[in-house]
Amino acid sequence: MELKSTQEILKGIQQHDTLVLRHLYQEYYPVIRKLVISNNGSEEEAKDIFQETLMVIYEKLSSDSLSFQCSLKTYCYAIARNIWLMTLRRKKRGGGMLKDAESTDDLGDKLIEDMTYARRRMVFQEHMNKLGQDCQQILKAFFQGKSLKEIAESMKFSPAYAKKRKHICQQRLISSIEQDILFDELTEH
């Protein structure tokens, strides 16, 4: 596939274009695979890291906060490198220094901030999805700015019970997130 610009690739990522995703796997995945496998990882872990890298980019595109001063390939590599480094630290498998195929020194703090933001959102969403349907519905409505009265009416609860359920659901979500092994790592930044 011959893509003309980074903008076309980014648009394809946003639209889940299978041709663009296939192109990314052909052109970008091999260097990320080499990074992971060269640093105590497996083929399956490399695929997971690449998927997570694409999710970070998608999240940044969705929130209109994607910006980088290098090639998209280097940006992807830097994200994958940071995700793999965090994974190694979490697993305590030689995390600290990586054997690199590319230099990412010039990307700095902005990339780490972008990646951390996206990972926080993914952790939040993962734990939100573990809640029961009622809790998910209540919290989604609350996060969308609906009042407790509106939530109570839509769920056919009394306002007092809606308030109590919202509080219980929030506490379950917070507790679940705080027990995640990524919580400490993601709150350090």
Side-chain angles (χ1 to χ4, degrees):
M1 171 180 190
E2 194 66 37
L3 294 174
K4 293 180 176 46
S5 72
T6 298
Q7 290 306 327
E8 287 178 315
I9 295 171
L10 295 176
K11 185 177 179 183
I13 292 170
Q14 276 185 301
Q15 297 174 345
H16 305 283
D17 183 316
T18 54
L19 292 175
V20 169
L21 295 175
R22 192 172 300 133
H23 170 77
L24 291 171
Y25 271 96
Q26 290 171 349
E27 297 296 319
Y28 294 24
Y29 175 71
V31 71
I32 291 170
R33 179 185 178 278
K34 182 178 179 185
L35 168 75
V36 172
I37 290 176
S38 299
N39 290 284
N40 302 316
S42 68
E43 180 79 31
E44 195 61 37
E45 288 170 317
K47 289 177 183 173
D48 291 344
I49 296 300
F50 189 69
Q51 282 288 12
E52 201 168 334
T53 299
L54 294 179
M55 287 300 299
V56 168
I57 291 170
Y58 179 79
E59 286 283 331
K60 297 304 287 178
L61 285 167
S62 296
S63 66
D64 269 340
S65 59
L66 181 69
S67 66
F68 51 94
Q69 307 299 319
C70 57
S71 73
L72 180 58
K73 190 172 188 175
T74 300
Y75 187 72
C76 286
Y77 180 84
I79 291 171
R81 181 184 186 281
N82 283 314
I83 293 170
W84 184 239
L85 191 55
M86 288 184 353
T87 301
L88 288 175
R89 280 190 202 124
R90 193 171 63 243
K91 293 180 179 186
K92 301 206 183 334
R93 281 199 283 169
M97 293 299 291
L98 296 179
K99 298 173 198 157
D100 275 319
E102 289 192 21
S103 172
T104 59
D105 295 338
D106 59 333
L107 298 175
D109 294 334
K110 178 73 171 120
L111 175 66
I112 292 171
E113 182 183 310
D114 289 352
M115 186 196 65
T116 301
Y117 169 79
R119 287 189 60 130
R120 282 180 182 152
R121 284 188 49 116
M122 287 190 301
V123 167
F124 172 83
Q125 193 60 52
E126 177 184 323
H127 290 279
M128 182 77 158
N129 292 341
K130 289 180 184 177
L131 296 174
Q133 286 296 82
D134 273 2
C135 278
Q136 286 183 39
Q137 190 175 348
I138 291 167
L139 291 178
K140 284 178 183 175
F142 180 73
F143 294 146
Q144 291 170 349
K146 293 189 177 174
S147 70
L148 285 173
K149 182 180 176 192
E150 291 172 310
I151 294 170
E153 287 172 3
S154 72
M155 306 261 327
K156 302 193 183 343
F157 294 155
S158 71
Y161 186 69
K163 182 178 180 179
K164 180 180 179 180
R165 284 292 294 160
K166 182 197 73 85
H167 178 75
I168 289 168
C169 294
Q170 267 184 316
Q171 292 307 310
R172 283 185 186 158
L173 180 61
I174 290 167
S175 176
S176 180
I177 290 170
E178 286 176 341
Q179 291 175 21
D180 193 303
I181 58 175
L182 286 176
F183 177 75
D184 289 334
E185 189 174 311
L186 294 173
T187 55
E188 289 175 3
H189 298 283

